Every structure is written in structure tokens, then in C-alpha cells.
Amino acid sequence: MALSRTGRLVLAALLALPAAAAATPATAAPAAPATHAAAHGYGAAHRFGHGARYDGGVWGGYVAQGSGFQSVSGSWTMPAVQCNTANDLFAPWVGIDGYGSQTVEQTGVQADCSSGSPVYSAWYEMYPAPPQYFSDPVDAGDSFTASVVNSGGSSYALQITDNTKGWTETTTQQLDGQNVSAEAVIESPSQSYPSFSRLDFSGVTVNGQVFDGYSPQAIDSGPYTETPLSNGSFAIVPA
């Protein structure tokens, strides 16, 4: 029996349903957020080989060198960033080692542009192991305080607090660190920075003493430089 024009249209629509369903699953799981940090990892200042000062490399801020660095702490405010490319990634952090050693014990916050707009998150890393991320909410404008403490032998306690939102994460990890440097820096492991106007570090201490007392070295990175260090405080600003 011949189908009417309406019948033919209904049949064609029914035959098209499987292909449409295959093309657009109704219950597709949301994609996990991509992070360049997971691909690149944060870590040692010199792994890209930018010379003694490492200016223009992956670290920017202040680094103290020597021996016997047992603790570092500091605060900063995470700025709002503007993504220029999907490769833009940067993080402010505090840590021990990495400048003259192959390990780094560090914790901080990142802004990741791989999704096309900035995604903020907190993390820690016992480099060369990959970074580990906390699920707590992070936004531009949040104030953070973080610390890394060598609590004896190869044991390190890492803590980060979002003073604005009121959460704290603490973890104890094992690593054979050398404790030969301490730093409060920004880093872009992708060597591609988003744009921001200013990032302020404050209250930076090493071994319980004001950071200035260890004669830390200033390092520029990418399009950013640092203001003079004063009583444990400085700013990262466009060069």
C-alpha cells in the first residue's frame, strides 16, 4: 500500500532517529576540565635552562638560596586575569627547593585558560611528582595564606587557606628534599601568561624570620617584574 506524503515524512523522521541519537547522546557526561598544569607540572626554576638568574624563565618573584631552609609562608591576593590564549597558565605559590635542586615542595593557586576563560584552583606539588588539586572553590580576589614546613627528615607539611572563603587544606607528604632554597614566586610552566594588573605578596617569612633577612634574589618572568621587597612584602606587576 502506498504511503501518503504525511506518512512518508513520519517514516523518514523515525529512520533518522538512531543517527541523531548517536551524534548527540542525551546523557553525555560533562568533560573534565582540562588543565595545562597537569600536562606541564610546576617545579624547578631551571628546568628550561634560562641561566643563572633565570630571568624570562618560568619563575618570577623572590628566591633565597643557601641551606637549612625548614619553612616558608606567605600571603597573596589572586588577581582577576584576562586569557590571551588557551595556553595561558600561571600560579602564585610559596615553597622550598627548586632553585639549585631537582625537587620542589610547593603549594599555591592557579589560573588556567585552557577552557577559553580563567579557571581558578588551589593545588600542591612535590615535584617531580605531578600537582594535586583541591576541590575547594577559588575565585579572583580571594586572599590566600600558604606554608610549607619541613617537619623532620623527608616529611613536609603543606597548608593553604582561602582567607576569603574560610577553607583550609593541609597535607603531609614525603620527599627527599635538599632545603637549599625558599621562594615566593609566580610561575607559568607553559611559558604563556594571562594578563593581570597586579599581584601582592605579603608577610613572607622563612624559618620564622622576615624574608628580607635572607637576601632573596629578584627574578623576572614573562611580561612581569617585581617591586622592591620590603618587610616580607612585594608586588608582581607588568614589566
Side-chain angles (χ1 to χ4, degrees), residues 95-165:
I96 296 173
D97 283 328
Y99 203 96
S101 66
Q102 294 297 319
T103 64
V104 195
E105 305 82 44
Q106 53 192 159
T107 186
V109 179
Q110 71 172 18
D112 175 16
C113 290
S114 59
S115 66
S117 58
V119 175
Y120 301 93
S121 57
W123 55 276
Y124 75 89
E125 185 178 19
M126 303 296 285
Y127 183 84
Q132 302 298 312
Y133 296 92
F134 299 116
S135 60
D136 307 271
V138 173
D139 290 305
D142 286 1
S143 165
F144 292 89
T145 299
S147 64
V148 177
V149 179
N150 178 215
S151 49
S154 59
S155 181
Y156 291 85
L158 303 96
Q159 180 173 286
I160 186 165
T161 297
D162 186 324
N163 302 305
T164 303
K165 291 190 167 59

Side-chain angles (χ1 to χ4, degrees), residues 36-233:
H36 287 285
H40 291 275
Y42 296 99
H46 62 280
R47 69 183 190 276
F48 288 109
H50 287 279
R53 280 184 52 84
Y54 311 124
D55 282 353
V58 294
W59 284 15
Y62 283 92
V63 179
Q65 289 182 279
S67 62
F69 293 104
Q70 299 298 308
S71 69
V72 61
S73 65
S75 300
W76 67 86
T77 298
M78 190 66 180
V81 308
Q82 177 182 334
C83 296
N84 302 308
T85 74
N87 200 42
D88 290 353
L89 171 71
F90 103 106
W93 54 265
V94 296
I96 296 173
D97 283 328
Y99 203 96
S101 66
Q102 294 297 319
T103 64
V104 195
E105 305 82 44
Q106 53 192 159
T107 186
V109 179
Q110 71 172 18
D112 175 16
C113 290
S114 59
S115 66
S117 58
V119 175
Y120 301 93
S121 57
W123 55 276
Y124 75 89
E125 185 178 19
M126 303 296 285
Y127 183 84
Q132 302 298 312
Y133 296 92
F134 299 116
S135 60
D136 307 271
V138 173
D139 290 305
D142 286 1
S143 165
F144 292 89
T145 299
S147 64
V148 177
V149 179
N150 178 215
S151 49
S154 59
S155 181
Y156 291 85
L158 303 96
Q159 180 173 286
I160 186 165
T161 297
D162 186 324
N163 302 305
T164 303
K165 291 190 167 59
W167 59 257
T168 295
E169 293 285 356
T170 303
T171 182
T172 299
Q173 300 292 322
Q174 304 295 315
L175 187 65
D176 290 328
Q178 299 180 34
N179 303 337
V180 295
S181 67
E183 46 273 341
V185 294
I186 61 170
E187 178 180 357
S188 175
S190 65
Q191 296 185 286
S192 180
Y193 278 96
S195 298
F196 61 89
S197 60
R198 182 183 180 98
L199 186 153
D200 287 288
F201 278 96
S202 62
V204 181
T205 64
V206 172
N207 293 350
Q209 306 297 315
V210 176
F211 199 22
D212 312 38
Y214 289 85
S215 302
Q217 179 179 350
I219 311 172
D220 293 342
S221 184
Y224 295 98
T225 189
E226 62 291 318
T227 62
L229 179 65
S230 177
N231 198 31
S233 298

